[in-house]
Amino acid sequence: MSIRRFWSSPKTLGDVNVVTEELKNLYYKRLLPIEKHYSFHHFHSPSYEDADFDNKPMVLVMGQYSTGKTTFIRYLLEEEFPGSRVGPEPTTDCFTALMYGEEERVTPGNAITVDPKKPFRNLDPFGNSFLNRFQCVQMPNPVLERISIIDTPGILTAAKRKLSRGYDFQAVLRWFAERVDRIILLFDAHKLEFSDELTRAFGALYGYEDKLRVVLNKADRVDSQQLMRVYGALMWSLGKVFRTPEILRIYIGSFWSEPRQRCYHYNLIELEEEDLLTDIRNLPRNAAVRKLNDLVKRARLVRAHAHIVSHLKQEMPTIFCRESKKHNLIYELPVIFTKIQQQHRVPAGDFPDCNKMQEKLLGQDFSKFKTLKTSLMNSLNKLLTTDIASLVPLFQQQEQRKKSLPAVLDGEFLGTFRRDQFKGDPFKEMLKDDEVSEADSDEWAVEKYKPKYDEIFYNLSPHDGKLSGTKVKEWMTTTHLPNSVLAHIWRLADVDRDGMLDNEEFALAVHLIEGKLDGHWLPRELPSHLVPPSKRLSTSSDAPV
């Protein structure tokens, strides 16, 4: 289950782009005029821009400090990123958007919010206090070619709750929660604590529970009895905070690339890791569906908002006692919500939070509100009933093509090493830039260690000079490295892509494992000096005679 062999080529995203363009047209032609007419943006989120439709799926990673947020991102990317620092103290003090770029670069918040191609222009109202703590990191990482990742500051514990961030942290979280495709909320199995800021952060996620994935991290550092108690306590605490009949699923894991401690729940951690990475794997495939879902939710909220401001406008007196009437209407807002539900058959779930709406109304001039305009409301109803339904055939066509797309986070290692997963020889393509290097082609870096690796190889009883994937997997798992790391090592070592390892390929695999255990990063592709001699392509025929 490697993090490296990730994504399909851009050509396979054509259907997604078609659906996205249709969603843009519906928003700009149907929904945006209604939002402007009823001043929707003064009460709720700003209007959508092209970048909000065109951007890649985004993953928001949040949690209290020292729960492993930055390490989790490193685990996905399999490399360091500029500005990342890991430690027991609060080390991430800013929001960092990790996006793909041909060259590595860091762009400050004030600069990135004026870029029309980035989906962050509407962060400008949060001011310099926030923008000075926001940055965009671009890097040529294959994971970031299809998703973007938002790293967040650690949520303060009770001991540090009096510290001020200088900006509305909860409002920023809610801004991102509305726009991202997935929210990863990390907890530490060692220190389960619900601070005031964490509780307020949960409030920012209200209404976006469908995007939320809760992870109990560092689970290999506690025994099974402690894990059971921490898991139960976390379930109970989350149930009190979110107050929903649905129980949030909690993924148990240890998301880093170092060897895991052997424990009775080791296999459970591997299975939970597979489930979570599979969920992330499907984000690009489901990006258009998510955008459609968000558009429908927004349209429903706009409809409820239009009825609210129209009702308030009708109830206001023309001349006398306007201020007192305004305050009475704000106080009676819950009753007004109920009336609108009954008279116009607007579902209760479409209405905004009543308390927040009351706060927003205090600073508004009710005389500027507009009454219901039949043509606009008919257009909105047409959007919800007819226009959206017309997009279903496009989604069905896209769904049919999903089956041919390769997995985002490969999972061969969790099952078996299937030969049909290895089509073609990627080494032939990789060799283009290195085939002229004589130094790399002469010496094999693994040769001097091969005798001790051969001893392990022959103790595993190879058949016809090769070890099957099952035997190699059984031996590899004894290293306690995460399955995702071992799967990447397998793909690097199985140079001929036959689903088995000969003695040279096995020696290479052991060499990579030892390097990883020593704390080194694995290469994205196999360098020439690590390619077994018997697998190297001869270039003598191409040399001039």
Side-chain angles (χ1 to χ4, degrees), residues 49 107-116 118-125 130-131 134 136:
E49 298 183 346
T107 307
N110 281 288
I112 202 66
T113 53
V114 298
D115 187 348
K118 297 291 188 294
F120 306 120
R121 284 163 58 89
N122 288 321
L123 284 170
D124 187 68
F130 166 72
L131 294 178
F134 176 57
C136 178

Side-chain angles (χ1 to χ4, degrees), residues 27 61 144 156 158 169 188 201 221 263 290 317-318 370 386 400 413 440 444 452 459 478 508 527:
Y27 176 74
V61 181
L144 299 177
L156 300 178
F169 181 67
D188 190 339
R221 268 41 183 180
C263 50
R290 194 274 302 174
T318 307
K370 307 289 180 63
T386 306
Q400 293 173 357
F413 197 85
D440 287 346
W444 188 32
K452 69 173 183 178
N459 284 337
T478 62
L508 172 61

Side-chain angles (χ1 to χ4, degrees), residues 484-504:
S484 57
V485 175
L486 296 177
H488 183 45
I489 291 173
W490 168 271
R491 266 184 298 282
L492 291 174
D494 187 16
V495 179
D496 55 14
R497 299 297 187 261
D498 64 350
M500 297 182 288
L501 300 185
D502 59 23
N503 61 341
E504 287 184 340

Side-chain angles (χ1 to χ4, degrees), residues 205-224:
L205 305 181
Y206 177 77
Y208 304 105
E209 292 85 355
D210 58 316
K211 301 180 180 181
L212 183 62
R213 301 293 182 268
V214 181
V215 178
L216 185 59
N217 201 19
K218 306 180 184 179
D220 62 327
R221 268 41 183 180
V222 296
D223 59 38
S224 297

Side-chain angles (χ1 to χ4, degrees), residues 1 258-263 266-267 270-271 273 412-417 456 460 468-487 489-490 501 506 509-510 513 517:
M1 191 173 54
E258 302 303 318
R260 295 189 177 120
Q261 293 185 7
R262 196 69 188 180
C263 50
Y266 185 90
N267 291 335
E270 294 290 354
L271 292 173
E273 173 193 2
E412 302 98 64
F413 197 85
L414 295 182
T416 57
F417 297 117
I456 302 173
L460 294 176
S468 66
T470 302
K471 284 188 176 181
V472 177
K473 176 182 176 179
E474 290 175 356
W475 180 83
M476 279 184 167
T477 53
T478 62
T479 65
H480 296 170
L481 285 170
N483 280 351
S484 57
V485 175
L486 296 177
I489 291 173
W490 168 271
L501 300 185
F506 182 79
V510 181
I513 288 174
L517 291 173

Side-chain angles (χ1 to χ4, degrees), residues 74-130:
R74 285 183 184 177
Y75 175 77
L76 292 180
L77 301 180
E78 283 192 2
E79 65 175 311
E80 303 274 358
F81 59 90
S84 66
R85 192 162 64 90
V86 175
E89 76 282 4
T91 54
T92 303
D93 63 348
C94 66
F95 283 81
T96 301
L98 297 166
M99 309 185 80
Y100 181 80
E102 295 295 336
E103 297 179 356
E104 191 173 286
R105 119 183 14 160
V106 179
T107 307
N110 281 288
I112 202 66
T113 53
V114 298
D115 187 348
K117 296 182 179 180
K118 297 291 188 294
F120 306 120
R121 284 163 58 89
N122 288 321
L123 284 170
D124 187 68
F126 291 108
N128 280 328
S129 296
F130 166 72

Side-chain angles (χ1 to χ4, degrees), residues 279-309:
D279 183 71
I280 299 175
R281 170 195 308 154
N282 292 325
L283 289 180
R285 303 179 181 183
N286 298 329
V289 178
R290 194 274 302 174
K291 291 171 184 174
L292 174 65
N293 182 64
D294 287 351
L295 183 65
V296 173
K297 287 172 62 176
R298 187 180 181 93
R300 290 179 174 275
L301 179 59
V302 169
R303 181 175 61 182
H305 173 80
H307 283 291
I308 293 169
V309 297

Side-chain angles (χ1 to χ4, degrees), residues 23-281:
L23 290 177
K24 277 187 194 178
N25 292 333
L26 289 179
Y27 176 74
Y28 289 131
K29 293 179 180 179
R30 300 278 191 198
L31 194 56
L32 184 57
I34 306 173
E35 292 182 2
K36 292 181 177 179
H37 186 75
Y38 293 106
S39 304
F40 179 83
H41 313 128
H42 294 162
F43 295 86
H44 308 287
S45 58
S47 60
Y48 286 164
E49 298 183 346
D50 284 350
D52 293 308
F53 291 97
D54 297 333
N55 70 300
K56 301 163 188 173
M58 291 194 292
V59 178
L60 179 69
V61 181
M62 57 181 290
Q64 292 179 308
Y65 77 88
S66 192
T67 54
K69 298 183 301 300
T70 303
T71 305
F72 176 82
I73 296 173
R74 285 183 184 177
Y75 175 77
L76 292 180
L77 301 180
E78 283 192 2
E79 65 175 311
E80 303 274 358
F81 59 90
S84 66
R85 192 162 64 90
V86 175
E89 76 282 4
T91 54
T92 303
D93 63 348
C94 66
F95 283 81
T96 301
L98 297 166
M99 309 185 80
Y100 181 80
E102 295 295 336
E103 297 179 356
E104 191 173 286
R105 119 183 14 160
V106 179
T107 307
N110 281 288
I112 202 66
T113 53
V114 298
D115 187 348
K117 296 182 179 180
K118 297 291 188 294
F120 306 120
R121 284 163 58 89
N122 288 321
L123 284 170
D124 187 68
F126 291 108
N128 280 328
S129 296
F130 166 72
L131 294 178
N132 289 336
R133 294 175 176 83
F134 176 57
Q135 62 181 2
C136 178
V137 173
Q138 293 178 279
M139 52 193 297
N141 184 282
V143 177
L144 299 177
E145 286 190 74
R146 292 295 177 268
I147 64 172
S148 300
I149 302 175
I150 311 296
D151 192 13
T152 62
I155 296 174
L156 300 178
T157 60
K160 302 178 182 293
R161 64 187 177 187
K162 294 183 180 180
L163 298 177
S164 173
R165 295 185 183 272
Y167 60 91
D168 193 339
F169 181 67
Q170 183 180 356
V172 174
L173 283 180
R174 186 162 185 84
W175 188 95
F176 278 107
E178 180 182 355
R179 288 160 177 79
V180 300
D181 296 71
R182 189 66 73 236
I183 304 169
I184 306 295
L185 178 59
L186 290 162
F187 288 93
D188 190 339
H190 283 280
K191 51 174 188 179
L192 193 62
E193 180 182 4
F194 276 64
S195 63
D196 291 345
E197 187 172 61
L198 180 61
T199 303
R200 290 194 296 270
F202 287 147
L205 305 181
Y206 177 77
Y208 304 105
E209 292 85 355
D210 58 316
K211 301 180 180 181
L212 183 62
R213 301 293 182 268
V214 181
V215 178
L216 185 59
N217 201 19
K218 306 180 184 179
D220 62 327
R221 268 41 183 180
V222 296
D223 59 38
S224 297
Q225 185 180 31
Q226 290 174 320
L227 178 63
M228 180 181 66
R229 290 173 175 171
V230 173
Y231 182 88
L234 181 57
M235 289 282 288
W236 181 80
S237 299
L238 290 175
K240 287 182 60 180
V241 172
F242 285 101
R243 298 180 181 178
T244 58
E246 300 85 4
I247 299 176
L248 290 173
R249 176 174 176 180
I250 300 175
Y251 294 85
I252 298 171
S254 183
F255 291 93
W256 63 341
S257 299
E258 302 303 318
R260 295 189 177 120
Q261 293 185 7
R262 196 69 188 180
C263 50
Y264 285 110
H265 49 276
Y266 185 90
N267 291 335
L268 174 63
I269 290 176
E270 294 290 354
L271 292 173
E272 293 283 286
E273 173 193 2
E274 179 189 12
D275 287 350
L276 181 60
L277 295 184
T278 299
D279 183 71
I280 299 175
R281 170 195 308 154

